Amino acid sequence: MGLRAAEVCGAIAALVSAVTASQPSAVKPIAVPMRDLVWGKLNFLHTTDTHGWHGGHLQESQYSADWGDYVSFAERMRARADEDGVDLLLVDTGDRVEGNGLYDASSPKGQYYYDIYKEQQIDIICTGNHELYQASTADEEHRRTVPNFEDNYIASNLDYIDPATGQRVPQAQRYRKFQTKNQKLDIVAFGFLFDFTGNANNTVVQPVRETIQEDWFKTAIQENPDVFVVIGHVGVQMQEFKDIFTAIRTADWDTPILFFGGHVHVRDATAYDSRSFAIASGRYFETIGWMSVDGTLKKTGSSSTFTDLSFSRRYIDNNLLGLHHHTGLDAAAFPTEHGRNVTAMIAKARAGLDLDYTFGCAPKDYWMTRTPYPDDSSIYTLLEKEILPAVATGPGREYVPRLVIMNTGAIRFDIFEGAFTRDTTYIVSPFLSVLNYIPDVPYEVANKVLAMLNNGGQIFDAAGAADVKYMSIPEQWAIRESIIYEKSTPRGSDELGYSQKPLTGDDGDDSSTEPVLIQGYTTRDDIGNDGDDAVHANIDFYVVPNCLQAEVGFSGDDEEKPETVDLVFFDFIQPWVLLALRFSGGAYSKDDVKSYVDGTFTELMAGWIKENWPAKC
């Protein structure tokens, strides 16, 4: 879908006013061609899978705005909605924790995060799976985030076990019915989590197909609202959302149904029918999602007047230049006092946690998916060839040959050339992963495990195991093949979805010239290829295996292999490893598993960097 010239934001020059980065160490954003937001009668801002990145991306200019800037942005956009007599709602669909030092570096975790996050006025909010992996995290979510958002928090299929009474109670209300501020639109909203089974034992996730058979749900979908809003920590292409849509549409054939998803860390949008729309808004606070609906929404009497509706979506790059553009305000007029105060809270928290402390200086960029594994610039090659062999050294087992298996999903972000800080350790490796092992496994058995983990999906499925895709990175759960772009063929302005006026050179030549674009999101969803607000050059995406393996302590002779090895692996993948051993002829159980080395992998990696990379950049 291309945009007409009248819909285009204008020349890049309009965006090059001076910008001060939100956090002192953040890099400034770069001006790029922009697409405008399309406003409707009902409008939404959406965040998901922010994973503690509320201080912004300090090393990536296009995503460098922080939570305080988002507070200012939302307040400015609400003011416009009020002025125009339309409505704006804010939505968040979970996974707010684990993935950044702002959350992970404190003890207990989230010491500053909860107070920072609650400063945003969110109208509909739900839980993600990362709020549930650890019992302590689930406790804090129930004890702090749920009351922080009072009537706005929804948990349609999630219960919490009260530690005081042992009773199972809803995490929050099952659904919410409310009216919008300006048009008094009646909204019925739900908040779901996908069919997650890895939650701590102080929570209970009810499968979605069971939940939609509950009496309360059947009652809720008979409420005859003007709009249904379904938020969830669910990918918009996942079956759970499709089942919810079918259940609602079976009971109510024409009320608009709006879905806000997440979990899979991608920008995505789709429509289940002509009166529904669904959006997912990326990951790591890189993206602020925008959805709008236009047309007659308010019902009269007991039924609606069926009219055509139009839907629009944008994936907003989270940086100050873009936020200024979409509000029509410059750097001086944009920030609100509230937003500036939140930015100051973040700066104080970062200083208190010493997140800029440097372990070492990365000699170059190491990429998760921008380059193929095992290329030297792949972060997984760095792990296989250098870090894992050094840190996977068990006391008393130093001279025993070993195979060390790591799941690629244990790594969540790239390493950029330059300072590798305390913050970076949690950005790259946010989990409490530890190394376990089984001693003295026959080599011929142990050597089959990696191939099984990477290629034995159907075998694991038949055994009733969790999907092997969960060992890999979330961005790859919906992608099966690498996406490689031809570098020699620039895309024209029609394909990019914006209009670029001809530039006039010094020689008077007014021939058309394409702008030089920086790399970034170039999203193609079921709606088209014009969803991104900023126009970027493509980034290649190379798929990675579920797991990688380092051979440590082997002789240099490829023909000579040891009779037995220690099989070392990350604790997260232990269930799959035990099954793979069984399929490979090894009879092992969890009773055979031992702790291999003290400390989390995050701590071990930081120690390796401190010892092996230069202290100063």
Side-chain angles (χ1 to χ4, degrees):
M1 289 183 181
L3 294 179
R4 298 189 301 273
E7 297 172 315
V8 179
C9 75
I12 299 176
L15 295 176
V16 297
S17 58
V19 175
T20 301
S22 298
Q23 290 300 301
S25 58
V27 291
K28 296 179 181 179
I30 300 170
V32 298
M34 298 285 290
R35 302 180 179 100
D36 284 336
L37 304 182
V38 178
W39 283 75
K41 296 287 183 62
L42 183 58
N43 309 278
F44 296 84
L45 292 172
H46 176 216
T47 51
T48 190
D49 296 89
T50 50
H51 285 286
W53 286 80
H54 303 101
H57 289 239
L58 306 187
Q59 294 177 289
E60 293 183 285
S61 63
Q62 297 310 104
Y63 317 115
S64 54
D66 67 20
W67 199 246
D69 299 314
Y70 184 40
V71 168
S72 293
F73 182 59
E75 290 175 354
R76 298 304 189 194
M77 298 292 273
R78 287 188 194 273
R80 173 172 171 176
D82 292 345
E83 182 179 342
D84 293 347
V86 299
D87 288 296
L88 174 67
L89 299 174
L90 267 64
V91 172
D92 186 277
T93 49
D95 271 14
R96 294 171 284 274
V97 303
E98 296 186 340
N100 189 284
L102 192 60
Y103 172 82
D104 291 288
S106 64
S107 182
K109 292 181 181 295
Q111 179 181 346
Y112 299 96
Y113 149 78
Y114 293 100
D115 289 335
I116 291 168
Y117 187 84
K118 74 176 182 181
E119 291 298 319
Q120 183 62 282
Q121 182 186 335
I122 297 174
D123 299 288
I124 316 173
I125 183 172
C126 68
T127 307
N129 55 296
H130 277 265
E131 279 81 34
L132 305 181
Y133 276 117
Q134 304 294 326
S136 58
T137 312
D139 286 337
E140 290 302 283
E141 183 72 9
H142 188 80
R143 188 176 71 87
R144 301 187 67 175
T145 308
V146 172
N148 281 346
F149 291 92
E150 297 179 348
D151 295 335
N152 298 349
Y153 203 117
I154 308 175
S156 297
N157 66 326
L158 174 63
D159 289 344
Y160 174 74
I161 298 176
D162 189 325
T165 65
Q167 291 185 332
R168 175 176 165 178
V169 298
Q171 168 82 326
Q173 61 192 323
R174 295 303 193 201
Y175 73 102
R176 181 184 178 209
K177 185 175 182 180
F178 64 100
Q179 281 193 334
T180 61
K181 178 181 179 182
N182 295 319
Q183 299 169 94
K184 307 303 179 187
L185 298 173
D186 291 317
I187 307 289
V188 167
F190 303 94
F192 281 90
L193 175 63
F194 72 98
D195 294 346
F196 180 48
T197 58
N199 50 300
N201 60 11
N202 60 343
T203 59
V204 179
V205 180
Q206 184 180 41
V208 168
R209 287 188 175 180
E210 294 179 12
T211 303
I212 59 180
Q213 298 301 319
E214 296 274 354
D215 290 340
W216 71 263
F217 182 82
K218 293 178 179 179
T219 298
I221 61 178
Q222 299 287 347
E223 291 273 11
N224 193 34
D226 297 314
V227 178
F228 286 106
V229 177
V230 181
I231 77 168
H233 198 71
V234 182
V236 298
Q237 308 291 346
M238 290 173 66
Q239 189 62 44
E240 288 92 333
F241 264 2
K242 296 175 183 178
D243 290 340
I244 296 165
F245 166 76
T246 299
I248 296 175
R249 190 55 84 219
T250 299
D252 189 319
W253 68 277
D254 68 338
T255 297
I257 314 173
L258 309 178
F259 289 82
F260 295 85
H263 182 52
V264 291
H265 291 198
V266 296
R267 295 178 172 186
D268 197 9
T270 192
Y272 306 124
D273 68 5
S274 64
R275 297 180 69 78
S276 67
F277 203 76
I279 186 175
S281 301
R283 59 170 197 175
Y284 304 156
F285 203 35
E286 295 169 342
T287 305
I288 300 171
W290 171 266
M291 183 197 290
S292 65
V293 189
D294 209 16
T296 302
L297 293 172
K298 189 65 181 176
K299 293 179 179 179
T300 57
S302 60
S303 63
S304 66
T305 302
F306 192 96
T307 60
D308 289 337
L309 299 175
S310 61
F311 303 90
S312 179
R313 90 281 185 237
R314 282 283 182 268
Y315 310 111
I316 301 170
D317 278 4
N318 182 37
N319 66 75
L320 281 173
L321 283 178
L323 303 186
H324 294 170
H325 172 75
H326 293 308
T327 57
L329 299 172
D330 62 18
F334 170 79
T336 64
E337 181 179 2
H338 186 193
R340 284 194 297 265
N341 289 341
V342 176
T343 292
M345 289 176 67
I346 295 168
K348 183 177 180 180
R350 287 187 55 83
L353 294 168
D354 199 14
L355 294 184
D356 290 329
Y357 171 83
T358 300
F359 287 99
C361 185
K364 63 179 183 179
D365 296 328
Y366 293 96
W367 304 107
M368 290 176 61
T369 59
R370 291 194 190 191
T371 55
Y373 169 72
D375 188 271
D376 285 345
S377 58
S378 168
I379 194 171
Y380 300 110
T381 303
L382 172 69
L383 289 159
E384 177 195 341
K385 301 298 185 183
E386 299 189 49
I387 298 179
L388 286 178
V391 303
T393 305
R397 309 291 294 183
E398 299 93 336
Y399 303 106
V400 178
R402 50 204 177 274
L403 298 176
V404 186
I405 300 178
M406 173 185 191
N407 63 303
T408 53
I411 298 300
R412 288 304 171 101
F413 211 66
D414 309 307
I415 295 175
F416 297 115
E417 179 180 356
F420 190 100
T421 66
R422 175 170 284 114
D423 198 13
T424 312
T425 62
Y426 297 104
I427 287 170
V428 173
S429 177
F431 307 122
L432 299 175
S433 302
V434 296
L435 297 179
N436 289 342
Y437 84 113
I438 300 174
D440 304 322
V441 178
Y443 174 79
E444 64 178 15
V445 173
N447 194 44
K448 296 176 183 177
V449 171
L450 180 67
M452 186 68 65
L453 296 176
N454 285 331
N455 304 306
Q458 292 183 340
I459 298 174
F460 285 103
D461 290 344
D467 196 322
V468 295
K469 73 179 182 182
Y470 292 119
M471 290 186 283
S472 187
I473 58 176
E475 295 81 1
Q476 198 169 287
W477 293 346
I479 298 174
R480 296 291 180 266
E481 297 180 349
S482 297
I483 303 170
I484 313 302
Y485 298 94
E486 293 185 17
K487 301 298 188 295
S488 59
T489 308
R491 296 182 302 155
S493 59
D494 289 342
E495 185 179 353
L496 288 169
Y498 76 100
S499 298
Q500 178 67 27
K501 294 181 180 179
L503 301 177
T504 302
D506 293 338
D507 59 359
D509 181 11
D510 61 355
S511 60
S512 295
T513 304
E514 292 293 334
V516 176
L517 302 178
I518 64 171
Q519 288 188 317
Y521 281 100
T522 53
T523 306
R524 296 174 183 270
D525 55 30
D526 289 347
I527 310 305
N529 66 349
D530 63 345
D532 302 312
D533 76 325
V535 180
H536 290 301
N538 294 309
I539 297 175
D540 292 338
F541 184 98
Y542 292 88
V543 298
V544 296
N546 295 331
C547 298
L548 60 91
Q549 177 177 279
E551 292 187 353
V552 187
F554 284 48
S555 70
D557 186 352
D558 289 340
E559 300 298 324
E560 183 180 346
K561 298 299 182 182
E563 290 188 10
T564 63
V565 296
D566 285 349
L567 183 63
V568 185
F569 49 88
F570 278 47
D571 62 330
F572 177 78
I573 62 173
Q574 179 171 308
W576 290 286
V577 169
L578 291 175
L579 276 173
L581 284 167
R582 192 179 80 192
F583 300 148
S584 303
Y588 297 97
S589 72
K590 63 181 180 180
D591 294 334
D592 299 301
V593 177
K594 305 175 186 296
S595 174
Y596 188 67
V597 64
D598 290 338
T600 67
F601 175 73
T602 305
E603 295 165 342
L604 296 171
M605 178 181 66
W608 182 90
I609 287 167
K610 190 174 182 67
E611 292 178 3
N612 290 274
W613 284 352
K616 294 183 179 181
C617 298

